[in-house]
Amino acid sequence: MNPKPDSFLLLLILTTFVSICVSQIDQQYQTCGQTLLQCGDISGIGYPFWGGNRNASCGYPGFELNCQNNTFRLNISSMIYRVLDINNTTRTLRVARDDLWDNVCPRVVTNTALNFTIFDYYSTANDQNITLHYGCTINPVAIAGISPYNFNCSVNGLFSWNYYLTGQNSWLGNGTPCNTVISVPVNGTAAPALANPWSVNLLQGALNNGFWIQWSANNDNCNVCVRSGGVCGYNADSGSFSCYCSNGTRRATCDDDGNGTVDRKITKFSNNFR
Ligand SMILES: *[C@@H]1O[C@H](CO)[C@@H](O)[C@H](O)[C@H]1NC(C)=O
Ligand SMILES: *[C@@H]1O[C@H](CO)[C@@H](O)[C@H](O)[C@H]1NC(C)=O
Ligand SMILES: *[C@@H]1O[C@H](CO)[C@@H](O)[C@H](O)[C@H]1NC(C)=O
Ligand SMILES: *[C@@H]1O[C@H](CO)[C@@H](O)[C@H](O)[C@H]1NC(C)=O
Ligand SMILES: *[C@@H]1O[C@H](CO)[C@@H](O)[C@H](O)[C@H]1NC(C)=O
Ligand SMILES: *[C@@H]1O[C@H](CO)[C@@H](O)[C@H](O)[C@H]1NC(C)=O
Ligand SMILES: *[C@@H]1O[C@H](CO)[C@@H](O)[C@H](O)[C@H]1NC(C)=O
Ligand SMILES: *[C@@H]1O[C@H](CO)[C@@H](O)[C@H](O)[C@H]1NC(C)=O
Ligand SMILES: *[C@@H]1O[C@H](CO)[C@@H](O)[C@H](O)[C@H]1NC(C)=O
Ligand SMILES: *[C@@H]1O[C@H](CO)[C@@H](O)[C@H](O)[C@H]1NC(C)=O
Ligand SMILES: *[C@@H]1O[C@H](CO)[C@@H](O)[C@H](O)[C@H]1NC(C)=O
C-alpha cells in the first residue's frame, strides 16, 4: 500500500496540464497587458502608448512615449511635447511644448499644428490661444516707450521687439510686422490674467502648465476589444488594429462572432513541445 506512484502520476498530470495552459496564453496578450509605462509621477500607461520596453505592437503609431529626466516626451508632427498628465478615461493628455519649457525665447521659433488624424484640442478644457510675436520691428502698444506685453529675448545681440497677446487684446498686434508669430494654448484662467497689462511674469508659468489634447486611436474598436476581455494593440504588417485575446489575436473582439476573425492561430504546445 504505497501511495507514492499514484501521487507522482497525479503530480505529473497536473504539471503537464498547467504547462499546457500556460503555453496557450497568447504572448502579445500577456506582454502588452503587463508591460505598462511609467515615468516620473505618471504610471500604469497602456494602449495606445508604447516606447521603451513596451513594444510598438502594444500601442498605435504616433503614440511613442520617451522617458527622459523623469518626464514623458511625445513627438507630434515633429514637435516635442512634455506630457504632464494622462487621463485614460477622457483619453486626454496635458502637454507643454518642450522648446518653450522654462524658456520663452527658444533658439529657433517654429509654429506647429497637431496631427489631427490622432489628436485634437480638448474643447471641454476651456484652453485659449495666446500668440507670441518674435522679432517685430515696431513696438505695438508703447506707453512711455515700453509695451505692457513685452518680453526680452536676446537673439544674436540684435534688438527687436517681442510681445505676446491674448484673444482679448489681439487687436493690438494688428499690422505689426514680426519675423515669427506662434500660437500656443494656455488654460482658461491664465489667458484672461495675461490680458492684464504688465502680467508678463505669468507668461512662463502659463506655458509650462500646458494644455489638453484628446487622442483618437481606434477608440471604439478598443472599447469593444477590452469589453470582450482583450488587450488593444496594432499590427504593423497589416496596418490595422489588433485585439490580443488570451487564446489568440483577433481583428476586433475576443468573442466568437462573425467579426472576431482569428488573425494568427496559436500553435498548441508552442513553448514546451516543439
Ligand atoms: C488607467 O490609468 C490608471 C492609473 O493612472 C491605471 O492603473 C490603469 O491601468 C489605466 N487603465 C488603462 C486601461 O490603461
Ligand atoms: C514587437 O512589435 C513588432 C512590430 O509591431 C512585431 O513585429 C513584433 O512581433 C513584436 N515583438 C514582440 C516580442 O511582441
Ligand atoms: C536632462 O537633464 C540634464 C541635466 O539637467 C540636461 O543636461 C539634459 O539636457 C536633460 N535632457 C533633456 C532631454 O531635457
Ligand atoms: C499623423 O498620424 C498618423 C497616424 O499615426 C500618421 O500616419 C501620420 O504620418 C502622422 N502625420 C504627421 C504629419 O506626423
Ligand atoms: C519627430 O518625428 C519626426 C517624424 O515623425 C522625425 O523626423 C523627428 O526626427 C522626430 N524628432 C525627434 C526629436 O525625435
Ligand atoms: C479624468 O477626467 C475625468 C473628467 O474630467 C475626471 O473625473 C477624472 O477624475 C480624471 N481622472 C484622473 C485619473 O485624473
Ligand atoms: C487655437 O489655434 C489653433 C490653430 O493654431 C486652432 O486650431 C484652435 O482651434 C485654437 N483654439 C482655440 C481655443 O481657439
Ligand atoms: C527688457 O530689457 C530692458 C533693457 O535691458 C529692460 O529695461 C526691461 O525691464 C526688460 N523687460 C523685461 C520685461 O524684462
Ligand atoms: C492654469 O495655469 C496656471 C498657471 O498659469 C496654474 O497655476 C493653474 O493651476 C492652471 N489651472 C488649471 C485649472 O489647470
Ligand atoms: C477565445 O476565448 C473567448 C473567450 O475569452 C471565447 O469566446 C472564444 O470562443 C475563444 N476562441 C477560440 C478560437 O478558442
Ligand atoms: C459585423 O460588423 C458589422 C458592422 O460593424 C455589424 O453590422 C454586424 O452586425 C457584425 N456581425 C456580427 C455577427 O457581429
Side-chain angles (χ1 to χ4, degrees), residues 60-63 75-78 114-119 234:
Y60 197 80
F63 291 90
N75 184 343
I76 305 175
S77 301
S78 295
L114 295 177
N115 183 343
F116 290 106
T117 314
I118 48 175
F119 293 108
Y234 184 82

Side-chain angles (χ1 to χ4, degrees), residues 27-28 31-32 55-58 234-237 244:
Q27 198 64 50
Q28 298 272 31
T31 52
C32 294
N55 197 29
S57 61
C58 304
Y234 184 82
N235 183 331
D237 295 332
Y244 303 126

Side-chain angles (χ1 to χ4, degrees), residues 1 42 64 72 92 99 111 122 127 155 184 187 206 231 248 258 260:
M1 288 288 282
I42 303 179
E64 181 181 14
F72 275 133
T92 51
D99 61 341
N111 225 335
Y122 186 46
D127 293 331
V155 181
V184 189
N187 77 36
V231 174

